[in-house]
Amino acid sequence: MSEFAEITAYIGLGSNLENPRQQVTDAFEELQAAAHCRMLRRSSLYRTRPVGPQDQPDFINAVASLATRLQAERLLDVLQEIEQRHHRMRDTGRWGPRTLDLDLLLYGDQCIETPRLRVPHPEMTRRAFVLVPLREIAPRDLALPGQGRLGDFLPDASLDRLA
């Protein structure tokens, strides 16, 4: 088992197909139930325009923080297993529509770069749909390893908060 000392991880959630609100809500519950993981906080849900092709439905986005004893790549496996249970198709292209997208945004204060995983998530500081819900549940002085503090990247834009 790839289990060790507890660490805090932040997960980005998004969906724009097959009842996106329910997809994200169900994913929160599955994250809470995942072995060696404990939900710390979850953000509100936000409705956002898609990045990339605009000929697709709006997304529902959120962020969750987890305390986990899983190593980063094992946590990624768990996230991908949850996506598969939601019938995630990976051949829709980058920024295409999806039933569920789970991104490992932060894993403690670690910088990770492997063929499968980059943490911190390389696009997170440019995406309001990540930063706004992250700001809701994380301290402003949260370190974004190698990039600065969360408070340094808070966007001026507001998002359509649902719940």
Side-chain angles (χ1 to χ4, degrees):
M1 173 59 68
S2 56
E3 193 182 332
F4 69 118
E6 198 167 72
I7 195 162
T8 301
Y10 289 88
I11 312 299
L13 300 89
S15 174
N16 73 339
L17 295 176
E18 298 178 28
N19 194 349
R21 223 176 152 144
Q22 192 64 52
Q23 295 280 0
V24 171
T25 300
D26 290 349
F28 276 141
E29 299 306 317
E30 291 173 76
L31 289 169
Q32 170 65 34
H36 308 291
C37 294
R38 177 173 50 89
M39 180 79 68
L40 298 173
R41 297 194 68 196
R42 58 190 236 181
S43 75
S44 301
L45 304 180
Y46 294 86
R47 182 181 313 281
T48 63
R49 298 288 309 141
V51 172
Q54 297 295 300
D55 61 341
Q56 58 181 313
D58 286 350
F59 276 81
I60 300 299
N61 292 102
V63 171
S65 61
L66 299 177
T68 183
R69 293 185 180 280
L70 298 175
Q71 293 181 11
E73 288 209 2
R74 179 62 190 118
L75 180 56
L76 178 63
D77 292 338
V78 169
L79 300 179
Q80 290 177 345
E81 290 164 10
I82 293 170
E83 287 177 339
Q84 288 176 347
R85 286 196 298 271
H86 287 253
H87 308 290
R88 165 74 190 265
M89 303 298 288
R90 294 201 173 273
D91 60 357
T92 60
R94 188 177 185 193
W95 303 320
R98 55 206 62 192
T99 54
L100 185 63
D101 185 28
L102 299 176
D103 290 324
L104 180 52
L105 303 172
L106 296 168
Y107 185 79
D109 61 359
Q110 294 185 29
C111 290
I112 301 168
E113 187 147 352
T114 70
R116 290 186 61 215
L117 180 62
R118 289 178 61 197
V119 174
H121 190 284
E123 301 293 326
M124 69 181 284
T125 59
R126 293 189 289 275
R127 294 182 172 167
F129 65 83
V130 171
L131 293 173
V132 170
L134 182 59
R135 172 180 59 194
E136 181 184 336
I137 65 169
R140 288 180 68 88
D141 66 347
L142 176 72
L144 307 182
Q147 299 177 28
R149 301 274 174 207
L150 176 59
D152 299 336
F153 296 98
L154 297 178
D156 293 329
S158 65
L159 299 180
D160 183 14
R161 186 182 200 167
L162 301 178

